Amino acid sequence: MNCLISAGPTREWIDPVRFLSNPSSGKMGYALARAAVDRGMQVTLVSGPTALKAPAGAEVLYVETAREMQEAMSQRFAKADLIIMAAAVSDHRPETRSKQKQKKEQMRMTLDLVANPDILMELGKQKKNGQTLVGFAAETENLLPNARRKLREKNLDWIVANDVSEKDRGFQSDFNKISLLSKEQNEMDFEYQEKNSLARKYTSMLLLAT
């Protein structure tokens, strides 16, 4: 089985020394890649910038921007059986990128932004029979309603609902507590535990369901 996973943040550059990003560490996506390798899958990990060691046995493709991640995922999507979009992709990017560092006295007080591609939405449109597409919903309120809406609107098979408002889990943490929702309206709750343990458990769950 071929498994395609995205992980980490993306960066959208304002100038050579400043960018827009988010606090994602990539720990969950990397844990999933290790778990998938341990289950005997052929794993490709598309990673945004992180400080993590490449998972042994996985092919790792490093990207920075949302558009670079979109290209890498799209090129490998057709051959993947299981696709897990764990990356935290920047929703917007600066309309223009300065080639030189902008001095603070020269910087405008407003930043014009344009929308980045919705990678998960596009993958949902391309999905074929036999492919399983999993997304993540990182929310600070209305966790399950927002996750179910994303599951439906983006044509996913499963979604991981993740409350990132709690300081002891989610972004940057080694621990998490999640709910796994399916398009058949099944729901499985995973108690607070290390991300490596979570990855092993719900990778096994996804394999049983595919």
Side-chain angles (χ1 to χ4, degrees):
M1 176 179 284
N2 291 320
C3 183
L4 177 63
I5 300 172
S6 70
T10 60
R11 291 176 177 173
E12 306 298 337
W13 291 90
I14 299 170
D15 64 19
V17 300
R18 302 179 181 92
F19 55 78
L20 302 178
S21 191
N22 58 68
S24 174
S25 64
K27 291 177 180 178
M28 191 74 255
Y30 275 61
L32 285 165
R34 288 191 293 271
V37 169
D38 290 345
R39 297 288 298 186
M41 287 185 264
Q42 298 295 315
V43 178
T44 299
L45 175 63
V46 178
S47 175
T50 77
L52 303 176
K53 182 179 178 180
E59 176 191 13
V60 184
L61 306 173
Y62 294 102
V63 298
E64 269 201 317
T65 69
R67 287 177 290 179
E68 290 172 353
M69 184 168 283
Q70 178 193 35
E71 182 179 2
M73 294 294 290
S74 297
Q75 287 178 349
R76 289 153 182 84
F77 181 75
K79 294 183 178 180
D81 304 298
L82 174 61
I83 305 95
I84 305 176
M85 191 73 191
V89 181
S90 298
D91 293 321
H92 297 87
R93 66 182 185 273
E95 186 174 31
T96 59
R97 174 180 174 178
S98 175
K99 294 182 179 179
Q100 304 298 329
K101 176 185 175 182
Q102 299 181 49
K103 301 300 182 183
K104 62 181 179 181
E105 62 271 14
Q106 297 172 330
M107 291 186 71
R108 297 172 57 190
M109 297 304 293
T110 59
L111 184 64
D112 295 324
L113 302 176
V114 295
N116 269 327
D118 189 328
I119 302 173
L120 191 56
M121 179 77 79
E122 291 303 315
L123 297 181
K125 292 177 181 178
Q126 298 172 36
K127 188 179 64 170
K128 301 292 192 300
N129 289 336
Q131 289 184 305
T132 299
L133 179 59
V134 183
F136 272 65
E139 304 288 346
T140 58
E141 59 181 355
N142 301 321
L143 177 64
L144 295 183
N146 285 333
R148 291 190 183 101
R149 177 177 53 81
K150 187 173 182 179
L151 174 72
R152 181 180 64 255
E153 291 179 353
K154 302 197 177 185
N155 191 30
L156 309 181
D157 297 288
W158 297 86
I159 193 162
V160 178
N162 181 23
D163 185 348
V164 295
S165 66
E166 301 291 339
K167 293 182 179 180
D168 64 344
R169 67 193 68 169
F171 289 147
Q172 299 294 324
S173 176
D174 290 327
F175 294 82
N176 213 347
K177 178 182 179 181
I178 63 168
S179 294
L180 185 60
L181 313 177
S182 79
K183 64 181 179 182
E184 288 83 13
Q185 300 186 354
N186 296 320
E187 179 180 333
M188 284 155 284
D189 297 320
F190 292 79
E191 63 185 14
Y192 182 78
Q193 58 194 288
E194 285 190 332
K195 288 180 176 178
N196 286 325
S197 174
L198 270 176
R200 290 192 295 270
K201 289 179 180 178
Y202 74 77
T203 299
S204 297
M205 182 67 238
L206 290 171
L207 285 173
L208 289 172
T210 55

